Amino acid sequence: MSYARVMPRSSTREATGRGRSAPEDGGATARRTHAGGRRAGQSGTRDAVLIAARQSFARQGYAGTTIRAIASTAGVDPALVLHFFGSKDALFATCLAFPQDVADTVPRILAGPARTVGERLTRFYFELWERPETGQPLRAMFRSVASNEDAARMAHEFIGSHLVARAAEASNYDRVDLRLTLAGGQLAGVMYARHIVAVAPLATMSLDDLVRHVAPSVQRYLTGTLP
Amino acid sequence: MSYARVMPRSSTREATGRGRSAPEDGGATARRTHAGGRRAGQSGTRDAVLIAARQSFARQGYAGTTIRAIASTAGVDPALVLHFFGSKDALFATCLAFPQDVADTVPRILAGPARTVGERLTRFYFELWERPETGQPLRAMFRSVASNEDAARMAHEFIGSHLVARAAEASNYDRVDLRLTLAGGQLAGVMYARHIVAVAPLATMSLDDLVRHVAPSVQRYLTGTLP
DNA sequence: CGCATAACTCAACAACCGTTGACCTCAACA
DNA sequence: TGTTGAGGTCAACGGTTGTTGAGTTATGCG
């Protein structure tokens, strides 16, 4: 990570305009006439690569992950990975792309009944870590934020200006930013201890028990009186 | 990190016996007669390398750190780094070596008056992160545990069989392991948010304020009734 | 002084990295 | 059916990596 420029903030690739394709996907692309040619995204290979990438980023972090390893577990050529995503950085950014429904759910939880908000937020967050399809990206994000300054900046930005801001307008707590970051620190730390360090008994106890232990703290951060 | 064997569990180097020196230091080495020759560890270079290594591991994680970068900021040749520490893995292990006084202090805090144990433990831990000379190794450990499975195993071992065990015999709480890991998760998470993600206002508020906010939760984990 | 030993440098090794461009193979439409 | 564009492979590039061995310089003791 010194000879590879990190995070294509405004990609040199696109600026010069002579890089490889890296199809934008985008879903809502105006789908112009398209006179013939094979259809994009029909074979599941792109998704297979993405899954392999997430897994590797989750286990090894950014610098520890290699394009070749991703390609190998996906069963394709390394060049195909770049063909799909343009660069390692772009792949990484794609892997970190936070599921939109998380940003939607947190404000909705905060808008619910205040009496049980701690328990509901705690359970929602812990279950995200437990389910493989959401837990893996989360682990990836967590590890990468710890080992990559650009990832930390991205997380900072996402949490600060996206998640907290939307939560603030959906609820009527005072000092939402303080309350939410305190709660977030609490929740993330417990998941770090359970899923990454894997320290007993945090790693071995049931999710329900864990929620019972932690939820009161979260409740206090969200609805308790502040010093 | 695939062509370099990770963590010299029983070092091939020592097994074959024909690697480079990597002076064991060890402090208590029987210091045999020593008839002439330059004395070891007189120039501060070894420490300079260690400081540079800690800094790099703290910022870049294991895979993101290169011997050459360490050598460069220490102002020496890359080969000298290996001369001192034997391998990148051994250097890494040396950097992670936890200051012994931390393992000493936690049991002492737990043995103190139960009424204020949460506040004392919280303040002690947070101040560790604040002071540069202890904060840097902690950040290094935190990042490395997140990005390196062997580091996670080391942390797991240290916390499980060292810290918790010693705390258990020094105090008389019930289910110390559960209480201590819950408290630890809480504390680590807040420091993660403050020092690594640097999310406001956790990152900007004073240490005293932070202790005021978090200490009650820690107190509850340590002395509260368990579900 | 002269020997022994540690500190330290230098150049090179093989392995592996991200990335590239040329090339081939399919699937879908005109 | 021929054309078109996406899926996919291949070999190679320049550069960086951890590690090594041989060699040089500095330092302390007899």
PDB file of all heavy atoms in Angstrom, chain D residues 3 8 14 28:
ATOM      1  P    DT D   3     -20.528  -9.124 -40.501  1.00  0.00           P
ATOM      2  OP1  DT D   3     -20.221  -8.214 -41.618  1.00  0.00           O
ATOM      3  OP2  DT D   3     -19.550 -10.143 -40.085  1.00  0.00           O
ATOM      4  O5'  DT D   3     -20.947  -8.248 -39.249  1.00  0.00           O
ATOM      5  C5'  DT D   3     -22.190  -7.542 -39.305  1.00  0.00           C
ATOM      6  C4'  DT D   3     -22.555  -7.038 -37.931  1.00  0.00           C
ATOM      7  O4'  DT D   3     -23.085  -8.110 -37.109  1.00  0.00           O
ATOM      8  C3'  DT D   3     -21.390  -6.432 -37.145  1.00  0.00           C
ATOM      9  O3'  DT D   3     -21.839  -5.228 -36.567  1.00  0.00           O
ATOM     10  C2'  DT D   3     -21.079  -7.498 -36.097  1.00  0.00           C
ATOM     11  C1'  DT D   3     -22.469  -8.062 -35.839  1.00  0.00           C
ATOM     12  N1   DT D   3     -22.524  -9.440 -35.273  1.00  0.00           N
ATOM     13  C2   DT D   3     -23.383  -9.709 -34.235  1.00  0.00           C
ATOM     14  O2   DT D   3     -24.106  -8.884 -33.742  1.00  0.00           O
ATOM     15  N3   DT D   3     -23.366 -11.015 -33.798  1.00  0.00           N
ATOM     16  C4   DT D   3     -22.587 -12.048 -34.295  1.00  0.00           C
ATOM     17  O4   DT D   3     -22.654 -13.183 -33.836  1.00  0.00           O
ATOM     18  C5   DT D   3     -21.708 -11.691 -35.369  1.00  0.00           C
ATOM     19  C7   DT D   3     -20.798 -12.727 -35.977  1.00  0.00           C
ATOM     20  C6   DT D   3     -21.707 -10.417 -35.809  1.00  0.00           C
ATOM     21  P    DG D   8     -17.951 -14.794 -16.631  1.00  0.00           P
ATOM     22  OP1  DG D   8     -18.513 -16.124 -16.376  1.00  0.00           O
ATOM     23  OP2  DG D   8     -17.960 -13.777 -15.570  1.00  0.00           O
ATOM     24  O5'  DG D   8     -16.463 -14.995 -17.172  1.00  0.00           O
ATOM     25  C5'  DG D   8     -16.226 -15.984 -18.160  1.00  0.00           C
ATOM     26  C4'  DG D   8     -14.844 -15.830 -18.733  1.00  0.00           C
ATOM     27  O4'  DG D   8     -14.743 -14.617 -19.505  1.00  0.00           O
ATOM     28  C3'  DG D   8     -13.698 -15.741 -17.733  1.00  0.00           C
ATOM     29  O3'  DG D   8     -13.101 -17.036 -17.565  1.00  0.00           O
ATOM     30  C2'  DG D   8     -12.733 -14.732 -18.353  1.00  0.00           C
ATOM     31  C1'  DG D   8     -13.366 -14.421 -19.700  1.00  0.00           C
ATOM     32  N9   DG D   8     -13.096 -13.054 -20.148  1.00  0.00           N
ATOM     33  C8   DG D   8     -13.639 -11.881 -19.677  1.00  0.00           C
ATOM     34  N7   DG D   8     -13.177 -10.815 -20.270  1.00  0.00           N
ATOM     35  C5   DG D   8     -12.269 -11.308 -21.187  1.00  0.00           C
ATOM     36  C6   DG D   8     -11.445 -10.628 -22.118  1.00  0.00           C
ATOM     37  O6   DG D   8     -11.351  -9.414 -22.328  1.00  0.00           O
ATOM     38  N1   DG D   8     -10.672 -11.525 -22.861  1.00  0.00           N
ATOM     39  C2   DG D   8     -10.681 -12.886 -22.717  1.00  0.00           C
ATOM     40  N2   DG D   8      -9.867 -13.583 -23.508  1.00  0.00           N
ATOM     41  N3   DG D   8     -11.441 -13.532 -21.862  1.00  0.00           N
ATOM     42  C4   DG D   8     -12.207 -12.686 -21.122  1.00  0.00           C
ATOM     43  P    DG D  14       8.794  -3.039 -18.571  1.00  0.00           P
ATOM     44  OP1  DG D  14       7.698  -2.494 -19.372  1.00  0.00           O
ATOM     45  OP2  DG D  14      10.200  -2.698 -18.911  1.00  0.00           O
ATOM     46  O5'  DG D  14       8.567  -2.614 -17.057  1.00  0.00           O
ATOM     47  C5'  DG D  14       7.934  -1.357 -16.831  1.00  0.00           C
ATOM     48  C4'  DG D  14       7.564  -1.242 -15.385  1.00  0.00           C
ATOM     49  O4'  DG D  14       7.007  -2.493 -14.899  1.00  0.00           O
ATOM     50  C3'  DG D  14       8.759  -0.916 -14.473  1.00  0.00           C
ATOM     51  O3'  DG D  14       8.364   0.175 -13.650  1.00  0.00           O
ATOM     52  C2'  DG D  14       8.992  -2.212 -13.694  1.00  0.00           C
ATOM     53  C1'  DG D  14       7.578  -2.791 -13.642  1.00  0.00           C
ATOM     54  N9   DG D  14       7.519  -4.231 -13.429  1.00  0.00           N
ATOM     55  C8   DG D  14       8.287  -5.194 -14.016  1.00  0.00           C
ATOM     56  N7   DG D  14       7.989  -6.411 -13.621  1.00  0.00           N
ATOM     57  C5   DG D  14       6.961  -6.232 -12.715  1.00  0.00           C
ATOM     58  C6   DG D  14       6.240  -7.187 -11.953  1.00  0.00           C
ATOM     59  O6   DG D  14       6.362  -8.416 -11.928  1.00  0.00           O
ATOM     60  N1   DG D  14       5.281  -6.560 -11.152  1.00  0.00           N
ATOM     61  C2   DG D  14       5.055  -5.218 -11.105  1.00  0.00           C
ATOM     62  N2   DG D  14       4.090  -4.809 -10.281  1.00  0.00           N
ATOM     63  N3   DG D  14       5.720  -4.313 -11.811  1.00  0.00           N
ATOM     64  C4   DG D  14       6.661  -4.894 -12.595  1.00  0.00           C
ATOM     65  P    DG D  28      32.329   1.343  24.238  1.00  0.00           P
ATOM     66  OP1  DG D  28      30.982   1.557  24.779  1.00  0.00           O
ATOM     67  OP2  DG D  28      33.261   2.482  24.105  1.00  0.00           O
ATOM     68  O5'  DG D  28      33.033   0.202  25.094  1.00  0.00           O
ATOM     69  C5'  DG D  28      32.369  -1.039  25.248  1.00  0.00           C
ATOM     70  C4'  DG D  28      33.382  -2.160  25.297  1.00  0.00           C
ATOM     71  O4'  DG D  28      34.181  -2.147  24.098  1.00  0.00           O
ATOM     72  C3'  DG D  28      34.374  -2.090  26.465  1.00  0.00           C
ATOM     73  O3'  DG D  28      34.206  -3.241  27.273  1.00  0.00           O
ATOM     74  C2'  DG D  28      35.754  -2.062  25.793  1.00  0.00           C
ATOM     75  C1'  DG D  28      35.445  -2.683  24.433  1.00  0.00           C
ATOM     76  N9   DG D  28      36.372  -2.337  23.357  1.00  0.00           N
ATOM     77  C8   DG D  28      36.608  -1.089  22.840  1.00  0.00           C
ATOM     78  N7   DG D  28      37.475  -1.092  21.856  1.00  0.00           N
ATOM     79  C5   DG D  28      37.839  -2.431  21.714  1.00  0.00           C
ATOM     80  C6   DG D  28      38.743  -3.048  20.817  1.00  0.00           C
ATOM     81  O6   DG D  28      39.429  -2.524  19.935  1.00  0.00           O
ATOM     82  N1   DG D  28      38.795  -4.436  21.019  1.00  0.00           N
ATOM     83  C2   DG D  28      38.073  -5.112  21.960  1.00  0.00           C
ATOM     84  N2   DG D  28      38.241  -6.429  22.005  1.00  0.00           N
ATOM     85  N3   DG D  28      37.217  -4.550  22.808  1.00  0.00           N
ATOM     86  C4   DG D  28      37.156  -3.214  22.630  1.00  0.00           C
TER      87       DG D  28
END
